[in-house]
Amino acid sequence: MPRNELPIVTRLSPEGRARFDRAAKAHCFPAGQVAIVKGEAITGAYIVETGRLRVFSLSKEGCEATLYTIAPGETCVLAINSLFSAVPYPGHVVAEETTRILYVPGETWRALFRTESEIQNLTLKALSVAVMRLMHELESLHGRSVRNRLADLLIARRAADGSVRMTQAKIAAELGTAREVVARCLVDWSQRGIVECHRGLIRIIDPAYFSSNASLCEPTAMMPALD
Amino acid sequence: MPRNELPIVTRLSPEGRARFDRAAKAHCFPAGQVAIVKGEAITGAYIVETGRLRVFSLSKEGCEATLYTIAPGETCVLAINSLFSAVPYPGHVVAEETTRILYVPGETWRALFRTESEIQNLTLKALSVAVMRLMHELESLHGRSVRNRLADLLIARRAADGSVRMTQAKIAAELGTAREVVARCLVDWSQRGIVECHRGLIRIIDPAYFSSNASLCEPTAMMPALD
DNA sequence: CGCGCACTGTAACTTTGGTTACAGAACTTC
DNA sequence: GAAGTTCTGTAACCAAAGTTACAGTGCGCG
């Protein structure tokens, strides 16, 4: 999603847009790079143009837990959060792929928030979506087995051809479980012809099998436009 | 917190306040009453004056999971969420104690949001606090044992004298676990002189024992004033 | 082409926590 | 104060998933 197509840019008032353009800076994170470390002070908001950022928490024991990911066109709520409240950033952020972002200094964002309804909307929407996703995640985390959550992840991350390019280790880290547990499920499913496993690649053969657990596949779908 | 002391009321502009007063309605839920059922459409925001509302999700299997509680002076984010986005309310709400609320129609809230910075702040703050709490909850849910989460709950809910007036069944429901598991922990702790158990009452004898896990005791503490 | 590395497959074991089942204690109400 | 209800205490059992340990396999690179 190139800069000039971002709704946030196109829907601003002319003055707002000028101000936005003056202040916003593009930045690019290579795949795998750590963007923010937990506790870091945040000085601005950022909007993902291309790629994907992953936000996760890391307990002392090194156990990772993905909170959610930020797709193109979305902003990081936590940053917005920190922006309006001076709380340090409560999670780690890493670029999952090569990711281009647009950085907007906090000062600019806050100023635009007071007058630009598009910025108000985007801010509210980002927070609302985050609340929804976190609730969903929370709900799934104690009501559902690792199996179910793995199924969700595969469905949510599959490409058009039904393939998911992730190693089992990465998947396990995202789900906050052990690689062996992921392997157990995948072996079981592949024996039953539901998926095919290759090195760094899982292909979903029978998506219908997972359909009962379908959820969060289209995160934006549960969040109609504001206003 | 009586109506005239609510910051949201006192800090409005005179016109805003007049509008607010015209539209806001007081309502009272007796203890245990269901306030909102999941999926219900929301027509307004509400602010808790006294008492406490509990928001939880309920899976098909009847497994309950407390998402968070709303204390006096706070508003329900989910309602605000629904208010600005027309998503149905994603959880159940029940009054834990007799709870007085102030109901503000969505129309009024949205109108005030455009002009009253206090309403903007309250809205943002409510959403931000919710995001923080949910993240915290999420983090604790997979990184930590039931023991730890129970310790957190006891610390967070204790009265000034260290007593917690809840039945084990209620605690278990909040933690999304079984009563027996709660009993196991409590028996263990009471044998070691850390707590005392009575019917409907747990007294914390040695709070220092829990101090290492202290967290979320003062949820508002992590959310400094906006602006 | 073969060496090493990163990833996957597999098994046995342990821990945690949910389930079932019931006994007894405390409060409530008639 | 007897009966019923609600809450707590306890034990045995079971399932899910985390842990440990290692064997096999595809892949890249020299």
Side-chain angles (χ1 to χ4, degrees), chain B residues 39-113:
Chain B
E40 211 170 286
I42 296 299
T43 59
Y46 42 90
I47 304 159
V48 172
E49 287 185 275
T50 61
R52 183 190 283 276
L53 294 178
R54 186 165 70 92
V55 182
F56 61 97
S57 72
L58 198 63
S59 63
K60 296 148 214 148
E61 304 86 35
C63 161
E64 211 172 274
T66 297
L67 296 168
Y68 52 85
T69 60
I70 312 168
E74 300 182 334
T75 54
C76 176
V77 231
L78 296 181
I80 287 188
N81 219 328
S82 304
L83 213 58
F84 281 95
S85 68
V87 213
Y89 197 88
H92 302 265
V93 180
V94 67
E96 279 216 309
E97 315 156 18
T98 301
T99 301
R100 280 180 55 79
I101 65 158
L102 215 49
Y103 169 87
V104 185
E107 183 48 39
T108 307
W109 191 278
R110 279 189 296 267
L112 290 171
F113 182 86

XYZ file of all heavy atoms in Angstrom, chain B residues 39-113:
571
model
N -23.460 -9.941 22.175
C -24.141 -9.830 20.898
C -25.225 -8.769 20.880
O -25.685 -8.369 19.811
N -25.610 -8.324 22.055
C -26.623 -7.284 22.151
C -26.108 -6.003 21.484
O -24.925 -5.689 21.554
C -26.864 -7.012 23.640
C -28.256 -6.572 24.017
C -28.404 -6.583 25.539
O -28.511 -7.677 26.135
O -28.397 -5.493 26.116
N -26.998 -5.272 20.860
C -26.582 -3.991 20.291
C -26.491 -2.970 21.421
O -27.263 -3.018 22.370
C -27.592 -3.523 19.252
N -25.537 -2.091 21.296
C -25.308 -1.112 22.351
C -25.803 0.244 21.886
O -25.515 0.675 20.779
C -23.805 -1.011 22.664
C -23.319 -2.343 23.211
C -23.542 0.100 23.664
C -23.997 -2.761 24.477
N -26.543 0.911 22.729
C -27.083 2.200 22.312
C -26.456 3.363 23.048
O -26.742 4.509 22.736
C -28.601 2.237 22.558
O -28.827 2.009 23.965
C -29.310 1.154 21.772
N -25.607 3.082 24.004
C -25.000 4.192 24.714
C -23.806 3.770 25.537
O -23.495 2.581 25.629
N -23.132 4.759 26.108
C -22.000 4.475 26.975
C -22.491 4.489 28.408
O -23.539 5.053 28.701
C -20.926 5.536 26.794
N -21.765 3.856 29.299
C -22.129 4.026 30.695
C -20.903 4.122 31.569
O -19.854 3.573 31.278
C -23.079 2.942 31.185
C -22.759 1.564 30.730
C -21.915 0.763 31.490
C -23.288 1.066 29.563
C -21.621 -0.513 31.074
C -22.994 -0.200 29.143
C -22.159 -0.981 29.896
O -21.855 -2.247 29.486
N -21.097 4.862 32.636
C -20.014 5.141 33.564
C -20.438 4.578 34.909
O -21.548 4.832 35.370
C -19.808 6.659 33.692
C -19.563 7.252 32.306
C -18.676 6.973 34.645
C -19.855 8.731 32.242
N -19.579 3.802 35.520
C -19.919 3.223 36.816
C -19.732 4.279 37.903
O -18.681 4.907 37.987
C -19.037 1.994 37.119
C -19.253 1.518 38.550
C -19.334 0.880 36.138
N -20.783 4.494 38.706
C -20.667 5.433 39.823
C -20.228 4.704 41.086
O -19.280 5.097 41.749
C -22.014 6.123 40.072
C -22.363 7.150 39.030
C -23.637 7.879 39.417
O -24.734 7.355 39.110
O -23.545 8.947 40.030
N -20.955 3.648 41.407
C -20.577 2.830 42.563
C -20.777 1.370 42.183
O -21.553 1.045 41.302
C -21.476 3.115 43.787
O -22.821 2.790 43.428
C -21.393 4.572 44.205
N -20.068 0.485 42.890
C -20.197 -0.939 42.615
C -19.130 -1.413 41.656
O -18.052 -0.832 41.567
N -19.450 -2.462 40.946
C -18.448 -3.037 40.042
C -19.129 -3.921 39.012
O -19.964 -4.749 39.355
C -17.472 -3.880 40.869
C -16.339 -4.483 40.064
C -15.557 -5.477 40.879
N -14.648 -4.909 41.836
C -13.403 -4.503 41.533
N -12.953 -4.648 40.318
N -12.632 -4.009 42.451
N -18.783 -3.719 37.773
C -19.307 -4.581 36.718
C -18.196 -5.524 36.282
O -17.032 -5.159 36.259
C -19.773 -3.751 35.522
C -20.972 -2.821 35.743
C -21.260 -2.030 34.474
C -22.190 -3.616 36.161
N -18.590 -6.728 35.928
C -17.604 -7.689 35.453
C -17.911 -8.050 34.017
O -19.054 -8.369 33.688
C -17.644 -8.954 36.313
C -16.552 -9.952 35.970
C -16.418 -10.976 37.074
N -17.563 -11.857 37.118
C -17.609 -13.021 36.454
N -16.600 -13.414 35.723
N -18.671 -13.779 36.536
N -16.913 -7.980 33.177
C -17.069 -8.315 31.763
C -16.402 -9.650 31.516
O -15.247 -9.838 31.874
C -16.407 -7.249 30.866
C -16.618 -7.567 29.409
C -16.935 -5.873 31.208
N -17.115 -10.562 30.930
C -16.515 -11.871 30.682
C -17.029 -12.470 29.389
O -18.069 -12.082 28.878
C -16.804 -12.828 31.848
C -18.269 -13.091 32.064
C -18.868 -14.217 31.529
C -19.030 -12.199 32.796
C -20.215 -14.467 31.735
C -20.384 -12.442 33.006
C -20.973 -13.567 32.476
N -16.283 -13.395 28.879
C -16.735 -14.110 27.694
C -17.133 -15.507 28.131
O -16.683 -16.002 29.152
C -15.619 -14.182 26.663
O -14.632 -15.085 27.089
N -17.977 -16.116 27.353
C -18.516 -17.414 27.708
C -18.442 -18.293 26.473
O -19.102 -18.034 25.482
C -19.973 -17.228 28.136
C -20.650 -18.306 28.940
C -19.957 -18.487 30.283
C -22.106 -17.928 29.173
N -17.607 -19.319 26.530
C -17.507 -20.194 25.365
C -18.713 -21.118 25.322
O -19.459 -21.231 26.278
C -16.216 -21.007 25.432
O -16.244 -21.838 26.565
N -18.857 -21.784 24.195
C -20.027 -22.650 24.017
C -20.126 -23.687 25.127
O -21.203 -24.050 25.569
C -19.949 -23.384 22.673
C -19.993 -22.469 21.468
C -19.157 -23.064 20.326
C -18.487 -21.962 19.526
N -17.190 -22.340 18.968
N -18.962 -24.170 25.546
C -18.955 -25.227 26.558
C -19.298 -24.699 27.947
O -19.235 -25.432 28.934
C -17.591 -25.914 26.606
C -17.134 -26.488 25.282
C -16.430 -25.441 24.450
O -15.746 -24.595 25.031
O -16.591 -25.460 23.216
N -19.571 -23.378 28.039
C -19.937 -22.837 29.332
C -18.741 -22.439 30.164
O -18.863 -22.132 31.336
N -17.558 -22.454 29.530
C -16.361 -22.064 30.252
C -16.247 -20.545 30.259
O -16.154 -19.911 29.224
C -15.142 -22.715 29.614
S -13.590 -21.947 30.034
N -16.265 -19.991 31.435
C -16.288 -18.551 31.609
C -14.869 -17.977 31.659
O -13.954 -18.646 32.093
C -16.972 -18.274 32.952
C -17.735 -16.995 33.012
C -18.523 -16.922 34.300
O -19.659 -17.449 34.334
O -18.008 -16.354 35.253
N -14.717 -16.748 31.241
C -13.403 -16.117 31.348
C -13.564 -14.622 31.561
O -14.069 -13.928 30.686
C -12.605 -16.359 30.082
N -13.170 -14.166 32.707
C -13.274 -12.749 32.999
C -12.281 -11.976 32.163
O -11.099 -12.297 32.132
C -12.976 -12.489 34.483
O -13.955 -13.140 35.257
C -12.999 -11.007 34.772
N -12.781 -10.977 31.446
C -11.887 -10.157 30.656
C -11.345 -9.022 31.513
O -10.170 -8.741 31.520
C -12.617 -9.620 29.431
C -13.068 -10.723 28.474
C -14.036 -10.187 27.441
C -11.880 -11.364 27.790
N -12.221 -8.376 32.241
C -11.784 -7.385 33.228
C -13.003 -6.873 33.976
O -14.133 -7.221 33.644
C -11.044 -6.212 32.569
C -11.802 -5.580 31.450
C -12.743 -4.594 31.718
C -11.617 -5.993 30.141
C -13.471 -4.037 30.695
C -12.344 -5.442 29.120
C -13.264 -4.461 29.405
O -13.998 -3.912 28.401
N -12.777 -6.056 34.956
C -13.890 -5.489 35.707
C -13.847 -3.974 35.591
O -12.803 -3.404 35.296
C -13.835 -5.897 37.182
O -12.609 -5.430 37.738
C -13.920 -7.393 37.340
N -14.994 -3.353 35.797
C -15.093 -1.905 35.670
C -15.404 -1.315 37.038
O -16.438 -1.614 37.628
C -16.213 -1.522 34.690
C -16.076 -2.347 33.402
C -16.173 -0.039 34.387
C -17.290 -2.237 32.510
N -14.496 -0.513 37.530
C -14.616 0.064 38.868
C -15.237 1.460 38.780
O -15.359 2.019 37.688
C -13.236 0.111 39.516
N -15.652 2.029 39.908
C -16.252 3.363 39.900
C -15.378 4.395 39.188
O -14.159 4.386 39.337
C -16.371 3.696 41.394
C -16.549 2.377 42.047
C -15.705 1.428 41.240
N -16.009 5.239 38.424
C -15.281 6.274 37.694
C -14.845 5.811 36.316
O -14.420 6.612 35.491
N -14.949 4.512 36.072
C -14.523 4.002 34.769
C -15.721 3.781 33.853
O -16.855 3.653 34.318
C -13.761 2.693 34.945
C -12.522 2.836 35.791
C -11.750 1.544 35.919
O -12.361 0.455 35.802
O -10.548 1.610 36.156
N -15.425 3.709 32.574
C -16.487 3.418 31.624
C -16.195 2.071 30.995
O -15.090 1.564 31.090
C -16.505 4.435 30.476
O -15.209 4.473 29.901
C -16.870 5.797 30.959
N -17.172 1.532 30.351
C -16.962 0.266 29.674
C -16.457 0.522 28.271
O -17.150 1.084 27.433
C -18.251 -0.529 29.619
S -18.037 -2.037 28.700
N -15.242 0.106 28.016
C -14.645 0.295 26.706
C -15.401 -0.363 25.610
O -15.487 0.143 24.514
C -13.281 -0.396 26.564
C -12.291 0.553 26.039
C -12.942 -1.180 27.746
N -15.870 -1.550 25.906
C -16.512 -2.307 24.848
C -17.724 -1.558 24.365
O -18.014 -1.500 23.177
C -16.904 -3.684 25.356
C -15.688 -4.506 25.734
C -16.126 -5.859 26.202
C -14.765 -4.620 24.546
N -18.402 -0.936 25.314
C -19.560 -0.150 24.937
C -19.107 1.003 24.044
O -19.679 1.249 22.984
C -20.261 0.375 26.173
N -18.048 1.647 24.437
C -17.532 2.762 23.656
C -17.121 2.290 22.274
O -17.405 2.907 21.261
C -16.326 3.400 24.385
C -16.856 4.172 25.598
C -15.540 4.294 23.462
C -15.828 4.996 26.287
N -16.465 1.154 22.303
C -16.083 0.486 21.090
C -17.274 0.307 20.154
O -17.270 0.736 19.003
C -15.594 -0.897 21.490
C -14.429 -1.316 20.687
O -14.336 -0.932 19.530
N -13.558 -2.071 21.270
N -18.287 -0.322 20.687
C -19.479 -0.605 19.903
C -20.126 0.692 19.453
O -20.687 0.789 18.365
C -20.481 -1.403 20.738
O -19.895 -2.584 21.222
N -19.998 1.683 20.324
C -20.610 2.975 20.094
C -20.060 3.645 18.841
O -20.761 4.317 18.105
C -20.264 3.850 21.296
C -21.271 4.858 21.722
C -22.554 4.149 22.048
C -20.753 5.579 22.950
N -18.765 3.484 18.646
C -18.122 4.159 17.527
C -18.008 3.268 16.308
O -17.473 3.667 15.295
C -16.729 4.646 17.930
C -16.763 5.912 18.721
C -16.750 5.880 20.099
C -16.838 7.139 18.080
C -16.785 7.049 20.832
C -16.880 8.319 18.808
C -16.859 8.276 20.188
N -18.475 2.060 16.399
C -18.211 1.181 15.268
C -19.354 0.242 14.921
O -19.236 -0.543 14.013
C -16.976 0.343 15.566
O -17.270 -0.552 16.601
N -20.430 0.290 15.687
C -21.593 -0.537 15.356
C -21.321 -2.030 15.376
O -22.038 -2.810 14.785
C -22.168 -0.136 13.991
N -20.268 -2.453 16.067
C -20.059 -3.880 16.267
C -20.911 -4.286 17.460
O -21.027 -3.527 18.417
C -18.598 -4.210 16.665
C -18.188 -5.549 16.119
C -17.647 -3.136 16.220
N -21.505 -5.461 17.416
C -22.262 -5.872 18.598
C -21.316 -6.078 19.778
O -20.133 -6.361 19.588
C -22.903 -7.190 18.173
C -22.090 -7.682 17.044
C -21.557 -6.467 16.354
N -21.862 -5.961 20.936
C -21.066 -6.072 22.149
C -20.468 -7.465 22.276
O -21.186 -8.457 22.225
C -21.955 -5.788 23.353
C -21.180 -5.482 24.575
C -20.789 -4.182 24.857
C -20.813 -6.485 25.457
C -20.070 -3.890 25.985
C -20.086 -6.194 26.589
C -19.718 -4.906 26.847
O -18.984 -4.620 27.965
N -19.150 -7.545 22.407
C -18.483 -8.847 22.318
C -18.313 -9.611 23.621
O -17.512 -10.516 23.687
C -17.126 -8.470 21.746
C -16.871 -7.105 22.280
C -18.207 -6.451 22.520
N -19.045 -9.258 24.656
C -18.897 -10.002 25.902
C -20.159 -9.907 26.732
O -21.105 -9.230 26.347
N -20.170 -10.591 27.840
C -21.293 -10.497 28.765
C -20.893 -9.565 29.894
O -19.735 -9.492 30.253
C -21.613 -11.863 29.356
C -21.942 -12.896 28.336
N -23.219 -13.196 27.968
C -21.150 -13.675 27.578
C -23.203 -14.134 27.049
N -21.937 -14.445 26.791
N -21.877 -8.886 30.458
C -21.587 -8.025 31.593
C -22.550 -8.371 32.711
O -23.745 -8.524 32.487
C -21.753 -6.539 31.239
C -21.453 -5.665 32.447
C -20.854 -6.156 30.081
N -22.014 -8.505 33.902
C -22.867 -8.783 35.050
C -22.427 -7.880 36.201
O -21.240 -7.538 36.315
C -22.801 -10.283 35.426
C -21.441 -10.651 35.946
C -23.870 -10.651 36.433
N -23.379 -7.441 37.011
C -23.057 -6.610 38.170
C -22.559 -7.512 39.290
O -23.265 -8.424 39.707
C -24.290 -5.834 38.613
N -21.350 -7.278 39.737
C -20.798 -8.113 40.800
C -21.384 -7.717 42.146
O -21.604 -8.558 43.009
C -19.289 -7.956 40.860
C -18.571 -8.772 39.836
C -17.288 -9.297 40.408
O -16.508 -8.497 40.970
O -17.053 -10.506 40.294
N -21.569 -6.410 42.298
C -22.219 -5.890 43.488
C -23.372 -5.038 42.977
O -23.547 -4.889 41.787
C -21.261 -4.996 44.281
C -19.873 -5.574 44.431
C -18.825 -4.496 44.673
O -19.198 -3.371 45.060
O -17.636 -4.787 44.479
N -24.115 -4.465 43.903
C -25.138 -3.521 43.487
C -24.400 -2.351 42.846
O -23.467 -1.811 43.431
C -25.945 -3.043 44.704
O -26.529 -4.180 45.306
C -27.022 -2.070 44.286
N -24.784 -2.026 41.632
C -23.980 -1.079 40.860
C -24.829 0.038 40.276
O -25.824 -0.216 39.595
C -23.261 -1.830 39.725
O -22.440 -2.853 40.276
C -22.410 -0.887 38.906
N -24.440 1.256 40.570
C -25.118 2.412 39.999
C -24.343 2.888 38.782
O -23.133 3.072 38.858
C -25.169 3.576 40.994
C -26.254 3.462 42.054
C -26.193 4.673 42.973
N -26.272 5.916 42.219
C -27.411 6.422 41.747
N -28.550 5.792 41.945
N -27.402 7.556 41.078
N -25.020 3.081 37.697
C -24.333 3.591 36.520
C -25.026 4.837 35.997
O -26.169 5.125 36.346
C -24.296 2.557 35.370
C -25.720 2.287 34.881
C -23.596 1.293 35.779
C -25.780 1.734 33.490
N -24.270 5.554 35.183
C -24.809 6.712 34.494
C -24.811 6.331 33.019
O -23.772 5.992 32.468
C -23.873 7.902 34.736
C -24.471 9.280 34.871
C -25.630 9.273 35.851
C -23.390 10.238 35.363
N -25.971 6.368 32.421
C -26.085 5.957 31.024
C -26.131 7.184 30.122
O -26.894 8.124 30.368
C -27.364 5.133 30.844
C -27.725 4.867 29.419
C -27.204 3.768 28.749
C -28.571 5.724 28.730
C -27.522 3.539 27.423
C -28.896 5.495 27.404
C -28.373 4.396 26.753
O -28.678 4.177 25.444
N -25.307 7.193 29.095
C -25.291 8.312 28.152
C -25.592 7.768 26.760
O -24.853 6.909 26.268
C -23.911 8.998 28.117
C -23.946 10.233 27.238
C -23.461 9.350 29.517
N -26.641 8.246 26.119
C -26.972 7.733 24.776
C -25.807 7.940 23.807
O -25.086 8.936 23.902
C -28.170 8.589 24.363
C -28.724 9.133 25.623
C -27.590 9.260 26.575
N -25.643 7.023 22.905
C -24.534 7.072 21.957
C -24.490 8.370 21.181
O -23.414 8.956 20.975
N -25.639 8.823 20.789
C -25.749 10.064 20.038
C -25.078 11.227 20.777
O -24.238 11.944 20.233
C -27.257 10.364 19.841
C -27.573 11.579 19.031
C -26.755 11.600 17.755
O -26.542 10.542 17.116
O -26.293 12.709 17.403
N -25.420 11.335 22.035
C -24.852 12.390 22.879
C -23.335 12.235 22.990
O -22.579 13.188 22.848
C -25.459 12.319 24.292
O -26.874 12.331 24.179
C -24.992 13.476 25.142
N -22.927 11.011 23.252
C -21.497 10.755 23.437
C -20.700 11.143 22.193
O -19.676 11.819 22.264
C -21.260 9.292 23.790
C -19.853 9.027 24.249
C -18.758 8.824 23.474
C -19.412 8.979 25.601
N -17.661 8.646 24.252
C -18.025 8.731 25.572
C -20.047 9.109 26.841
C -17.266 8.611 26.731
C -19.291 8.980 27.983
C -17.921 8.738 27.929
N -21.198 10.715 21.053
C -20.481 11.011 19.803
C -20.420 12.512 19.554
O -19.406 13.045 19.128
C -21.136 10.294 18.624
C -20.720 8.828 18.517
C -21.205 8.215 17.208
N -22.660 8.188 17.154
C -23.393 7.145 17.538
N -22.816 6.055 17.992
N -24.700 7.198 17.458
N -21.539 13.188 19.844
C -21.559 14.636 19.634
C -20.556 15.303 20.560
O -19.758 16.150 20.132
C -22.964 15.182 19.890
N -20.552 14.898 21.817
C -19.626 15.500 22.777
C -18.186 15.196 22.397
O -17.289 16.009 22.606
C -19.916 14.992 24.196
C -21.219 15.490 24.835
C -21.502 14.758 26.139
C -21.151 16.999 25.081
N -17.982 13.997 21.825
C -16.614 13.595 21.462
C -15.976 14.584 20.491
O -14.791 14.870 20.561
C -16.621 12.201 20.837
C -15.249 11.694 20.488
C -14.475 11.046 21.437
C -14.727 11.879 19.217
C -13.207 10.596 21.134
C -13.447 11.416 18.901
C -12.695 10.778 19.865
